[in-house]
Amino acid sequence: MLKGKKIVLGITGGIAAYKAVEIVSRLRKAGAEVYVIMTKEAAEFVTELTFREISGHSVSSDMWSKVTHWNVEHIALANLADLMLIVPATANIIGKTAAGIADDLLTTTLLATKAPVFFAPAMNSNMYENPIVQHNMKTLQEHGWHMIPPATGHLACGTAGIGRLPEAIDVFTVIEDFFSAVQVLKGKKVLVTAAGTIEPIDPVRFIGNRSSGKMGYAIAREAQRRGAEVVLVSGPSALQEPAGMRVIHVETTAQMREAVIKEFSDCNVVIKAAAVADYRAKEIAENKIKKSETTMSIMLEKNPDILQELGSLKKSGQILVGFAAETQKLLEYAKTKLLKKNLDFIVANDITKPNAGFNAETNLVKILSRDGAVEELPLMSKKELAGIILDHVIKKMEINSKK
Ligand code: PMT
């Protein structure tokens, strides 16, 4: 998908500038031509020589240096770009661009280009969360420019929090996905739930299940690839957080419910792949429970059924997809859930078969539609299945739009 694409990559003055080396390398290996612009500040962290060697082109940095491309340089680069990627994007470049300032080669090229622009912000958490920076990012997004959300973790300033540049592979994947997707879900908001919720018993123990999040994360990535604005509500998962989408981390069913209900009203599609805990401990012990008797009981009480609640709140045009993980009477139980929860589709997941269901790379399902149709699918990767589920959703959207 990247073969022959011309990518203008802007590097600004942040410690994460070194990660741009791997990004350039990955883009080139995938067949893209990469032209690097470095700001004066970026040159404090990385050298032009590195990027000249890795990109195979001379690096541009100065408005007034000898011209290396035809025409006026910033216009030449702006015009040749199929996509511009700013990595890392400092608060400074985001602020200047949002304010329409063009005082160096990178900012002038950004204002002159008609190509899609992706910023990968990376900075200290306090700076990232500063309302002015948030406002500037929102301004850019309102003008159709894209943000690749930063990751959370250890930061160069010694603290931990949001603001890390995602791994090179994640930034690369966002760009690759952008070119490979047919952007049919552009302008649509898709909410996906993934992984299992957990319910605490005492400060160290919880009730949980074996969901890894693989199915839900695959759906979220596929929806993003097709152009949707994706919100992923995830229970605890060891998977790498997907870049380029909003991820809301939750633990309990009550937290998942709160996050989902808050996002629901302007969602076009909700896909609930999460394995939600149906019960929680009636009382959570304040201290670690000591072992004494040979048996013990924990009184459980019912959790709310989030999907059923969404089904009752659903407005016309909203599409609701549920999953049903079953060990017996697959079709019968799935059909009951489809109707009871007022869903458009239910993905009936046979978890008795090898390589299907919880924590597997592949899955084996039947997709039941509200009109009574049942599509029986062979064992396939969760990525492939995600695509088929979204094909159903898109077809349903088309039918709805003709009504
Ligand atoms: O995460 P992986 O390891 O990749 O595994 C994927 C999976 C097996 C978890 C997934 O494919 C799957 O089948 N998810 C549904 C799991 C399940 O147990 O569903 P259920 O039959 O309990 O619930 C039916 C539907 O109602 C689900 O969409 C569920 O998200 C939703 N639900 C259930 C209970 C509840 N209290 N609230 C809900 O919203």
Side-chain angles (χ1 to χ4, degrees), residues 210-215 253 272-278 304-307 322-326 337 341 349 357-359 363 382:
R210 296 175 194 278
S211 174
S212 63
K214 287 176 190 166
M215 189 67 246
T253 299
K272 285 212 83 254
V276 182
D278 287 319
D305 190 314
I306 307 167
L307 192 52
F323 271 71
E326 306 293 351
K337 286 176 185 172
K341 302 190 187 201
N349 203 161
F358 291 87
N359 201 21
N363 214 350
K382 286 183 174 171

Side-chain angles (χ1 to χ4, degrees), residues 72-86:
V72 183
E73 190 160 30
H74 63 273
I75 303 297
L77 288 168
N79 283 347
L80 74 75
D82 290 311
L83 181 142
M84 277 192 77
L85 169 64
I86 312 303

